[in-house]
């Protein structure tokens, strides 16, 4: 079983996914006054197909919830994730153009 972690890098406005000590992906965002715009999710090709994008997205949404902020899914992957996981409906809205 792989050692999978997600760390928040606020100075880079990014959540970083690490698998077995190697950066495997990231989720970028832009903070506005009352909302965190989740803009782009990437899992590197060598780690694709293992569910890591979902792990990364869940960690980011949990962090937003814990911070008391709201999120807006600008990224199409995050928008699809939220549709499949309605438990995050109280935290995130899907951008109108998605």
């Amino acid at each position: 079983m792989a050692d999978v972690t997600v760390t928040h890098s606020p100075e880079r406005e990014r959540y970083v996914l690490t698998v077995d000590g190697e950066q495997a992906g990231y989720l970028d965002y832009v903070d506005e006054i009352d909302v965190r715009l989740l803009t782009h999710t990437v899992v590197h090709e060598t780690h694709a197909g293992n569910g890591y994008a979902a792990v990364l997205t869940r960690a980011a949404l949990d962090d937003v919830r814990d911070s008391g902020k709201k999120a807006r899914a600008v990224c199409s992957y995050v928008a699809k994730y939220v549709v499949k996981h309605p438990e995050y409906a109280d935290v995130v809205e899907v951008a109108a153009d998605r």
Side-chain angles (χ1 to χ4, degrees), residues 1-7 16-22 24-25 43 47 50-59:
M1 183 126 203
D3 178 26
V4 180
T5 59
V6 176
T7 55
V16 178
L17 172 74
T18 305
V19 177
D20 293 332
E22 175 185 336
V43 172
H47 296 286
N50 294 301
Y52 294 140
V55 170
L56 180 56
T57 301
R58 183 172 50 252

Side-chain angles (χ1 to χ4, degrees), residues 2-78:
D3 178 26
V4 180
T5 59
V6 176
T7 55
H8 185 199
S9 179
E11 66 282 353
R12 294 176 65 201
E13 293 189 322
R14 176 174 278 189
Y15 294 94
V16 178
L17 172 74
T18 305
V19 177
D20 293 332
E22 175 185 336
Q23 183 177 326
Y26 56 88
L27 191 155
D28 285 337
Y29 65 88
V30 175
D31 261 343
E32 294 189 346
I33 294 170
D34 58 348
V35 67
R36 180 165 289 167
L37 305 176
L38 305 175
T39 59
H40 191 60
T41 305
V42 172
V43 172
H44 302 306
E45 191 174 320
T46 55
H47 296 286
N50 294 301
Y52 294 140
V55 170
L56 180 56
T57 301
R58 183 172 50 252
L61 293 175
D62 287 344
D63 184 65
V64 172
R65 176 181 278 148
D66 292 346
S67 76
K69 282 189 167 247
K70 295 290 185 182
R72 182 172 304 131
V74 177
C75 169
S76 61
Y77 179 84
V78 175

